[in-house]
């Protein structure tokens, strides 16, 4: 074989090896990814579609009143924000309304986990995280599933419906990944909201996206069953 032809075949083989699955991303692909990152929200198998995260602006979920909250919650991750009855509850981020509970079915005799929230509303944010607020006294006009909302949009008013009938009025606030309808034991909270609420109270924009994504990964491929306060 002529020496020039042999050299050309060696170069061609090297180029083919460099394009195999064992090699790194091509420079132009890596540059595109770095310039326009997108993060898919972790979605359980019960959710029909994947929600893509987008940049988000956050605001504290109560407006126009004095409130108090602290780290820690009984049985599962969430935060109770104590405030006067009637305090405005607002969307903490832009997104769409997910689920709305319009009737309070809770009784101390049954104390079913699915009823404890009383009047409630959840919002799936543009960041892919689901935000849940419960024990409301009233829901705002136009609050229904599928409605788009901006950060700060009025959702309802603080109250003591559900199991809060036996406690001071407050907003139960939970963070989770989106699920199919009725999966209330995930919706009520899977990640501690305290550090994010503290940031938003001070005008910060700390995002719960990574924490919720990690919780989803730890839970596995399917929606875990209720294990506490069921």
């Amino acid at each position: 074989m002529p020496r020039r032809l042999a050299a050309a075949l060696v170069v061609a083989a090297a180029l083919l090896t460099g394009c195999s699955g064992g090699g790194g991303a091509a420079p132009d692909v890596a540059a595109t990814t770095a310039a326009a990152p997108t993060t898919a929200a972790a979605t359980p198998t019960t959710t029909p579609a994947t929600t893509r995260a987008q940049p988000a602006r956050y605001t504290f979920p109560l407006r126009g009143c004095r409130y108090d909250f602290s780290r820690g919650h009984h049985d599962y991750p969430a935060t109770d924000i104590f405030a006067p009855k009637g305090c405005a509850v607002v969307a903490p981020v832009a997104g769409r309304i997910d689920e709305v509970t319009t009737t309070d079915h809770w009784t101390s005799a049954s104390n079913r986990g699915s009823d404890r929230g009383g009047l409630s509303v959840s919002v799936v944010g543009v960041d892919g995280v689901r935000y849940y607020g419960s024990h409301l006294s009233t829901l705002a006009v136009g609050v229904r599933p599928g409605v788009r909302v901006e950060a700060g949009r009025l959702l309802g008013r603080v109250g003591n419906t559900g199991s809060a009938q036996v406690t001071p009025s407050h907003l139960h606030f939970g963070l989770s990944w989106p699920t199919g309808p009725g999966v209330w034991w995930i919706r009520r909270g899977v990640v501690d909201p305290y550090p994010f609420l503290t940031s938003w109270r001070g005008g910060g924009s700390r995002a719960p996206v990574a924490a919720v994504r990690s919780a989803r990964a730890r839970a596995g491929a399917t929606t875990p069953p209720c294990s506490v306060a069921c």
Side-chain angles (χ1 to χ4, degrees), residues 33 51 62 67 75 82 84 88 112 115 131 134 158-159 168 198 200 208 219:
T33 303
T51 303
L62 296 185
Y67 56 80
D75 301 328
F82 291 90
R112 287 189 296 263
D115 296 338
Y131 301 82
S134 64
V158 169
T198 301
W200 305 339

Side-chain angles (χ1 to χ4, degrees), residues 4-195:
R4 288 183 178 179
L5 178 58
L9 290 173
V10 170
V11 171
L15 289 173
L16 288 172
T17 302
C19 292
S20 69
D28 57 338
V29 173
T32 301
T33 303
T38 59
T39 304
T43 306
T45 55
T46 54
T47 302
T50 297
T51 303
R52 291 195 174 276
Q54 300 176 28
R57 176 179 68 86
Y58 300 96
T59 189
F60 197 82
L62 296 185
R63 184 178 64 205
C65 64
R66 297 176 64 88
Y67 56 80
D68 184 42
F69 65 96
S70 60
R71 184 182 292 276
H73 187 268
H74 59 84
D75 301 328
Y76 57 89
T79 296
D80 289 335
I81 310 173
F82 291 90
K85 186 174 182 178
C87 177
V89 176
V90 301
V93 67
R96 63 169 178 80
I97 296 176
D98 181 38
E99 292 184 276
V100 180
T101 304
T102 60
T103 304
D104 183 5
H105 295 290
W106 184 83
T107 67
S108 59
S110 63
N111 196 29
R112 287 189 296 263
S114 57
D115 296 338
R116 288 181 188 150
L119 303 188
S120 67
V121 59
S122 60
V123 172
V124 175
V126 294
D127 58 359
V129 173
R130 180 170 55 185
Y131 301 82
Y132 170 73
S134 64
H135 303 315
L136 306 182
S137 59
T138 59
L139 294 161
V141 174
V143 170
R144 60 184 183 276
V147 170
R148 305 295 302 185
V149 296
E150 296 299 322
R153 157 75 186 268
L154 181 67
L155 300 177
R157 302 281 177 177
V158 169
N160 59 349
T161 57
S163 59
Q165 291 176 23
V166 295
T167 66
S169 60
H170 66 276
L171 174 72
H172 172 98
F173 187 74
L175 302 173
S176 65
W177 60 83
T179 65
V183 188
W184 55 267
W185 60 95
I186 300 296
R187 184 181 63 207
R188 68 188 179 184
V190 297
V191 167
D192 180 11
Y194 181 83

Side-chain angles (χ1 to χ4, degrees), residues 199-217:
S199 171
W200 305 339
R201 177 179 59 185
S205 57
R206 185 171 179 179
V209 177
V212 171
R213 188 185 301 125
S214 295
R216 182 70 192 97

